[in-house]
């Protein structure tokens, strides 16, 4: 069955970068978009952007432009989200979600990866 | 950015109650509106897309309606497993934005 499994929790210092992975299984990885959504502690959901695993094309929320990079490795059905120049405001759970189209319809989600930014 | 505003922010209800959650967009989004359910410590679960289409496997007690700027999610008879936070999300344009959430608690 379809599944997205994300990498584990990370603790980073301000100014550092973090890379979160999202490994897909049970479906054709290149047939679906991967979106990234984050959730700060006790807060709502925030969309960050998507990657098309087939083409490698990306679309980022303007808020994260210049700081976020989404990539993929089709040989291992894995998508990555790298966020640089971290601040405490980036402390959040980061989710990947699968969607059949560029517009987010997240039918399958990863379990989430907690990123803590602290000095 | 399109702002999505949900009301109420929280509600208390009993098992068997009919529950309605409202989501309003700051501009018309046609029917590009999705609903999710999230339980503590878990990823969101996809419930409804294009305002009223039930995702496969979602119980029929969930329904959605609306278009333009005003949308509703209705749970016809609240079940114990439905106590959670519900989010609306617009996919009309970038950035795709979520409402702030509505927490459904046990009365």
């Amino acid at each position: 069955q379809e599944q997205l499994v994300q990498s584990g929790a990370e603790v980073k210092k301000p100014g550092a970068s973090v890379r979160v992975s999202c490994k897909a299984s049970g479906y054709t990885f290149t047939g679906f978009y991967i979106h990234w959504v984050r959730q700060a502690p006790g807060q709502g959901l925030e969309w960050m952007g998507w990657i098309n695993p087939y083409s490698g094309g990306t679309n980022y929320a303007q808020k994260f432009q210049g700081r976020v990079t989404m990539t993929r490795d089709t040989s291992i059905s894995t998508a990555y989200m790298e966020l640089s120049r971290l601040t405490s405001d980036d402390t959040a759970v980061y989710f990947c979600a699968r969607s059949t189209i560029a517009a987010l319809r997240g039918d399958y989600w990863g379990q989430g990866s907690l990123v803590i930014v602290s000095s | 950015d399109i702002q999505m505003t949900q009301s109420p922010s929280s509600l208390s209800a009993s098992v068997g109650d009919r529950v309605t959650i409202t989501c309003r967009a700051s501009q018309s989004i046609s029917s590009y509106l999705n609903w999710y359910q999230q339980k503590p410590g878990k990823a969101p679960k996809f419930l409804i897309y294009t305002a009223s289409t039930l995702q496969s496997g979602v119980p029929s007690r969930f329904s959605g309606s609306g278009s333009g700027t005003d949308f509703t999610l209705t749970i016809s008879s609240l079940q114990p497993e439905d106590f959670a936070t519900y989010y609306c999300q617009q996919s009309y344009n970038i950035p795709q934005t979520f409402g702030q959430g509505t927490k459904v608690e046990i009365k």
Side-chain angles (χ1 to χ4, degrees), chain B:
Chain B
D1 297 3
I2 297 176
Q3 306 302 315
M4 306 300 293
T5 303
Q6 291 180 229
S7 60
S9 295
S10 65
L11 65 89
S12 295
S14 300
V15 172
D17 284 354
R18 181 182 183 88
V19 168
T20 298
I21 298 168
T22 296
C23 178
R24 175 165 288 175
S26 60
Q27 68 181 72
S28 177
I29 58 170
S30 185
S31 295
Y32 292 93
L33 191 283
N34 305 318
W35 289 97
Y36 297 87
Q37 174 195 69
Q38 188 180 34
K39 296 181 178 178
K42 299 295 186 181
K45 175 185 177 182
F46 191 38
L47 296 178
I48 288 171
Y49 60 97
T50 54
S52 60
T53 305
L54 211 61
Q55 171 68 357
S56 174
V58 174
S60 59
R61 63 181 180 274
F62 290 92
S63 64
S65 65
S67 66
T69 60
D70 295 314
F71 302 86
T72 59
L73 171 70
T74 300
I75 309 171
S76 61
S77 178
L78 199 65
Q79 297 303 300
E81 60 268 30
D82 300 337
F83 291 95
T85 299
Y86 293 83
Y87 293 93
C88 62
Q89 171 242 325
Q90 65 83 14
S91 57
Y92 182 74
N93 67 9
I94 302 294
Q96 304 183 51
T97 46
F98 292 84
Q100 81 281 13
T102 296
K103 187 173 184 179
V104 177
E105 298 175 299
I106 301 172
K107 187 180 243 181

Side-chain angles (χ1 to χ4, degrees), chain A residues 42-56:
Chain A
Q43 302 301 307
L45 300 164
E46 182 175 32
W47 180 80
M48 300 179 69
W50 57 251
I51 182 166
N52 179 336
Y54 178 78
S55 65

